[in-house]
Amino acid sequence: MKKWLFLSLFFLLILGGTTQHWEKDLAAQELGNGTLPVIKEGEGKAVYEPVLPDITINVGKDFNEHPNYHHEVWHYKANVKGDDGREYGIQWTMYRISNGDYQGVGWKNAQIYIAQAVVSTEDQSWSQQRISRGGIGQAGVLMDPLRMWIDDWLWKSNNNFSMPSQLQVKADDFSIDLTSASYGPFVLNGDKGYKKTHDLLSTASYFFSAPFLKTKGVLMLNGKEVNVQGLAWLDKEWGNHLIASNTLRWDAFSIHLKDGRALALTQ
């Protein structure tokens, strides 16, 4: 089966009026005293939980969202083959970005969610994007059991772990319904899950992956149902590593090799 190569360019996500300047080094110093600066909504600079090395990552618990950090992303990608003999590439991504360091309720909630779904063949693609404000029930993440949603797009599990799980996406001209399960270990990327992206110590992220996933399910493309199965890959990353410059980005490449190994490169 021909393997699709996934090359993801993560550009700055800047929402009008939401660019934050946070003093993470100050926050890291305050951690030594057991306190963090308390800033009310709209006052001064946003201060998020610092991203520091030597933090233990729990790949079950940390699949949940981390609203005390500026942003995070769940990124799922799959190479599958259909019962029609065709190969399909599938990507689903959900972003959370904080509009401030306050934890309001309802419309005062600081979280914004963006989700993207793409299905591709060698000659055609289907895609759709959604955006929602947190706090009003339209989007969010819950545990016990795991449930992550935006409108009627849903990632769910029968337990608090990310696997096994089901992804359900309904768009105008396509839909995705996949069940995934792991057949190998999760991986802590970078330095035991800590990934530094700038000279500033705390401009960094926590990052783990599940590169060994098997998936199967049904795609609905232009009204035609296709049963598919293949391999998938899941990345989870959160932190404070957006940089206020449109000239900076990071590139990620991942692929399943024929001998059963998985390869990931990040620049």
Side-chain angles (χ1 to χ4, degrees):
M1 171 178 167
K2 179 181 177 181
K3 299 299 182 182
W4 291 90
L5 307 183
F6 289 96
L7 179 62
S8 301
L9 302 179
F10 291 89
F11 292 96
L12 263 182
L13 174 61
I14 300 179
L15 303 174
T18 67
T19 302
Q20 302 293 333
H21 303 280
W22 57 94
E23 298 175 348
K24 299 174 288 298
D25 290 330
L26 171 61
Q29 294 173 8
E30 293 290 341
L31 274 180
N33 299 325
T35 62
L36 280 171
V38 177
I39 300 178
K40 296 181 180 179
E41 179 180 350
E43 292 184 1
K45 299 178 180 179
V47 178
Y48 298 101
E49 192 78 15
V51 179
L52 302 173
D54 301 322
I55 298 296
T56 300
I57 291 178
N58 184 317
V59 296
K61 175 183 175 182
D62 284 323
F63 194 78
N64 195 5
E65 65 179 347
H66 301 77
N68 291 328
Y69 294 86
H70 187 213
H71 65 98
E72 61 192 307
V73 59
W74 299 259
H75 188 198
Y76 174 87
K77 47 215 172 185
N79 294 303
V80 298
K81 190 170 185 176
D83 56 6
D84 58 356
R86 304 190 71 186
E87 296 174 352
Y88 298 88
I90 302 168
Q91 293 196 63
W92 172 83
T93 308
M94 186 162 172
Y95 302 90
R96 178 202 59 79
I97 186 167
S98 180
N99 196 34
D101 56 4
Y102 53 92
Q103 299 297 327
V105 297
W107 287 103
K108 293 184 177 181
N109 187 281
Q111 309 305 323
I112 298 171
Y113 299 87
I114 300 172
Q116 302 165 341
V118 181
V119 178
S120 299
T121 66
E122 60 183 0
D123 54 12
Q124 189 175 1
S125 65
W126 298 259
S127 63
Q128 195 168 105
Q129 175 175 287
R130 299 199 177 174
I131 183 170
S132 175
R133 188 68 177 264
I136 57 174
Q138 190 175 355
V141 182
L142 294 175
M143 302 295 282
D144 195 25
L146 172 65
R147 176 184 172 90
M148 179 165 49
W149 77 97
I150 182 167
D151 296 332
D152 57 350
W153 293 11
L154 177 66
W155 181 292
K156 65 179 180 178
S157 175
N158 291 328
N159 51 56
N160 280 347
F161 199 65
S162 55
M163 294 296 158
S165 61
Q166 185 176 15
L167 172 65
Q168 296 177 319
V169 172
K170 295 180 181 180
D172 295 335
D173 55 354
F174 74 97
S175 66
I176 302 168
D177 191 340
L178 294 176
T179 299
S180 300
S182 59
Y183 65 93
F186 281 56
V187 176
L188 300 180
N189 300 295
D191 181 10
K192 299 178 182 178
Y194 171 79
K195 188 179 80 171
K196 183 179 179 182
T197 55
H198 195 271
D199 289 339
L200 288 175
L201 174 66
S202 51
T203 304
S205 65
Y206 299 121
F207 186 16
F208 66 85
S209 299
F212 303 105
L213 303 180
K214 291 184 178 180
T215 187
K216 63 179 180 178
V218 178
L219 301 179
M220 184 71 72
L221 305 171
N222 297 331
K224 181 181 178 180
E225 185 176 290
V226 182
N227 294 302
V228 298
Q229 61 180 339
L231 299 179
W233 189 306
L234 174 66
D235 293 324
K236 172 63 194 295
E237 186 170 8
W238 71 100
N240 305 318
H241 58 298
L242 293 185
I243 302 172
S245 171
N246 60 10
T247 64
L248 298 176
R249 68 180 189 271
W250 62 98
D251 305 330
F253 171 90
S254 56
I255 186 174
H256 291 109
L257 302 178
K258 289 184 177 180
D259 62 4
R261 292 181 297 172
L263 172 67
L265 302 173
T266 303
Q267 175 177 316

